[in-house]
């Protein structure tokens, strides 16, 4: 490490955690993901009102994931070069347009177009939101990322409640209420954006580092890993997040239909296990970040994905009374490593926070949207029971976490 970079690294460690900004950006994350949840909450409604097949439901989920997630690395790369705080409220405005479109779309294709606007808004928000968290974290990266992700996971967990209390009584038109979520997010961002702009002015420029021959290069932090190690670890990390995303797509999009067909539950009753899974994920995300700061990122990711495998394998074969506690434990363990994987990627790629966050929460998660198409199409041809059994083996990919290099902070 160069003499010039040591003081800046030391200052970064000693920087205090700005909890007010973390809570604010986490709240916006909750509102953003709540708008995404409107899409999945509408699945059982539009299946009836628009006469959609499960394969078309899969295409809706795929479109949301592709636009909201796969574009994130692109936005992340651009924002790493030139951060733009104004992109945060612009993203929320895109989502607001999508909410209005969802409420009044008369057919499948216009519904997809509305979903694209919701996804674009999310794609714009996440990389810049992750950079806000990076600045506000101080020396507590795991905790800060967990606070941020808890907001998003809580927003996702609202989907079953929206189905029960909004869309079953009001139908598709109830989606227009989502525009108020966007307005609330923009109002909160009026506080966050000025603070973020100040941080960029003070700390956004990479610190100079000496180069042989008297010249200088710029680097936010000195490299912790070789390029070969980074490439291997990042590829493996994407496989792990990909597997988790495919499994989450199977549960989030189709498990409610499985409960209705196999257990005879009503639409409202089928939302309860889904809510337990997502609510447990909120708690798992928070405590996972705290535990990762103490025990390490790699260990937490191994526990998260591989540890959830036994519960996932059991879930399709349980009597209904056992579904509730098992799916709660499954959600808690599975999501305990999500925020951790983002921090691990950021530490693999210091100085490229937007791109690292976009890859983990964006590209890999978006590619998991392919699972929604695959599962929906397979369910139309082979039945939901076989699809749920096939889906249950995906967390076994978590055993590959053993091969990740040890995290270094």
């Amino acid at each position: 490490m160069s003499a010039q970079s040591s003081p800046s690294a030391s200052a970064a460690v000693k920087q205090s955690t700005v909890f007010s900004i973390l809570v604010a950006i986490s709240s916006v994350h909750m509102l953003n993901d709540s708008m995404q949840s409107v899409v999945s909450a509408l699945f059982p409604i539009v299946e009836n009102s628009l006469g959609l097949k499960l394969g078309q439901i899969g295409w809706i989920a795929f479109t949301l994931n592709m636009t909201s997630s796969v574009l994130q690395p692109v936005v992340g790369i651009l924002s790493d070069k030139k951060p733009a705080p104004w992109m945060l409220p612009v993203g929320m405005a895109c989502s607001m347009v999508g909410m209005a479109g969802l409420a009044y779309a008369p057919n499948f294709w216009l519904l997809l177009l509305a979903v694209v606007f919701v996804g674009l808004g999310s794609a714009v928000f996440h990389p810049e939101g992750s950079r806000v968290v990076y600045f506000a974290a101080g020396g507590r990266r795991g905790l800060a990322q967990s606070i941020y992700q808890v907001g998003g996971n809580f927003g996702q967990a609202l989907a079953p409640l929206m189905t029960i209390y909004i869309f079953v009584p009001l139908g598709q038109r109830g989606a227009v209420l989502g525009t108020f979520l966007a307005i609330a997010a923009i109002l909160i961002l009026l506080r966050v954006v000025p603070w973020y702009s100040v941080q960029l002015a003070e700390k956004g420029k990479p610190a100079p580092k000496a180069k042989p021959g008297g010249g200088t290069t710029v680097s936010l932090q000195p490299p912790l890993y070789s390029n070969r190690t980074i490439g291997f670890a990042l590829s493996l990390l994407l496989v792990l997040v990909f597997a988790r995303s495919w499994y989450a797509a199977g549960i989030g999009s189709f498990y409610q239909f499985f409960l209705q067909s196999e257990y005879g539950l009503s639409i409202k009753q089928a939302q309860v296990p889904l809510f337990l899974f997502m609510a447990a994920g909120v708690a798992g995300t928070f405590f996972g970040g705290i535990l990762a700061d103490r025990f390490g990122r790699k260990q937490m990711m191994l526990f998260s994905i591989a540890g959830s495998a036994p519960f996932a394998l059991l879930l399709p074969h349980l009597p209904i009374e056992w579904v509730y506690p098992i799916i709660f434990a499954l959600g808690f363990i599975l999501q305990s490593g999500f925020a951790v994987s983002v921090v691990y990627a950021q530490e693999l790629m210091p100085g490229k926070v937007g791109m690292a966050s976009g890859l983990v929460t964006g590209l890999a998660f978006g590619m998991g949207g392919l699972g929604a198409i695959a599962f929906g199409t397979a369910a139309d041809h082979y039945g939901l029971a076989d699809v749920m059994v096939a889906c249950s083996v995906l967390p076994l990919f978590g055993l590959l976490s053993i091969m990740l290099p040890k995290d270094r902070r």
Side-chain angles (χ1 to χ4, degrees):
M1 180 184 295
S2 66
Q4 290 92 331
S5 63
S6 296
S8 62
S10 175
V13 172
K14 294 179 181 179
Q15 180 188 359
S16 61
T17 304
V18 187
F19 284 102
S20 61
I21 295 297
L22 286 176
V23 171
I25 199 66
S26 178
S27 300
V28 177
H29 197 188
M30 179 199 70
L31 294 167
N32 177 83
D33 284 26
S34 294
M35 286 185 279
Q36 288 186 264
S37 293
V38 169
V39 178
S40 57
L42 280 171
F43 285 167
I45 307 303
V46 295
E47 184 201 21
N48 293 323
S49 64
L50 299 181
L52 303 184
K53 297 180 180 179
L54 292 179
Q56 290 175 304
I57 296 291
W59 274 105
I60 295 172
F62 172 75
T63 301
L64 178 64
N65 281 358
M66 288 293 287
T67 52
S68 69
S69 302
V70 175
L71 287 179
Q72 280 189 42
V74 177
V75 176
I77 291 170
L78 294 175
S79 65
D80 281 335
K81 294 179 180 179
K82 190 175 181 180
W86 56 267
M87 292 175 67
L88 288 166
V90 166
M92 293 301 106
C94 284
S95 295
M96 183 165 58
V97 172
M99 288 294 101
L102 285 174
Y104 298 103
N107 57 54
F108 172 69
W109 297 107
L110 288 178
L111 191 69
L112 277 185
L113 180 61
V115 168
V116 167
F117 275 94
V118 177
L120 285 174
S122 184
V124 169
F125 165 73
H126 278 98
E128 290 294 335
S130 292
R131 196 187 314 280
V132 172
V133 175
Y134 188 85
F135 282 131
R140 306 179 73 178
R141 295 274 173 79
L143 175 62
Q145 191 66 36
S146 291
I147 292 173
Y148 176 61
Q149 295 297 345
V150 158
N153 285 5
F154 185 78
Q156 294 171 15
L158 293 177
L161 299 182
M162 290 178 182
T163 302
I164 295 173
Y165 297 110
I166 298 177
F167 299 125
V168 169
L170 300 180
Q172 185 179 342
R173 295 290 186 271
V176 76
L177 296 176
T179 58
F180 293 102
L181 299 175
I183 293 170
I186 291 171
L187 291 175
I188 295 173
L189 287 172
L190 293 179
R191 172 191 168 121
V192 174
V193 169
W195 180 90
Y196 178 28
S197 299
V198 171
Q199 299 305 305
L200 285 172
E202 294 178 353
K203 307 169 188 175
K205 302 288 185 183
K209 188 172 73 173
K211 185 172 84 173
T216 60
T217 60
V218 291
S219 175
L220 189 64
Q221 294 180 18
L224 298 177
Y225 303 94
S226 68
N227 289 337
R228 183 176 179 180
T229 301
I230 291 173
F232 171 78
L234 194 59
S235 299
L236 187 56
L237 184 62
L238 292 181
V239 170
L240 296 173
V241 179
F242 184 89
R244 180 170 55 209
S245 299
W246 270 60
Y247 184 74
I251 295 295
S253 298
F254 301 110
Y255 189 63
Q256 56 184 307
F257 298 112
F258 174 77
L259 290 169
Q260 293 174 53
S261 62
E262 297 296 317
Y263 295 95
L265 301 186
S266 66
I267 292 178
K268 287 186 176 182
Q269 290 170 333
Q271 305 309 308
V272 176
L274 197 59
F275 174 73
L276 289 175
F277 175 77
M278 294 179 175
V282 176
T285 298
F286 180 74
F287 287 106
I290 296 174
L291 293 172
D293 280 339
R294 180 171 182 178
F295 298 108
R297 326 288 192 219
K298 175 181 175 179
Q299 288 84 346
M300 201 63 219
M301 285 188 288
L302 178 61
F303 167 75
S304 167
I305 311 179
S308 62
F311 299 97
L313 291 168
L314 281 173
L315 187 63
H317 311 287
L318 294 171
I320 188 61
E321 62 270 14
W322 279 99
V323 165
Y324 302 100
I326 293 299
I327 203 169
F328 184 88
L330 172 60
F332 183 92
I333 297 172
L334 184 69
Q335 294 298 333
S336 65
F338 181 69
V340 179
S341 61
V342 177
V343 177
Y344 187 85
Q346 290 174 349
E347 292 172 351
L348 281 174
M349 307 169 67
K352 297 180 179 178
V353 178
M355 190 170 99
S357 303
L359 282 172
V360 174
T361 63
L363 181 61
F365 183 74
M367 285 291 98
L370 289 170
I373 293 180
F375 294 145
T377 304
D380 283 335
H381 288 83
Y382 305 107
L384 271 173
D386 290 339
V387 168
M388 286 294 107
V389 171
C391 179
S392 68
V393 304
L394 287 169
L396 289 174
F397 279 90
L399 295 173
L400 295 174
S401 302
I402 297 172
M403 301 170 63
L404 286 170
K406 184 178 179 181
D407 45 279
R408 297 166 60 190
R409 286 167 280 172

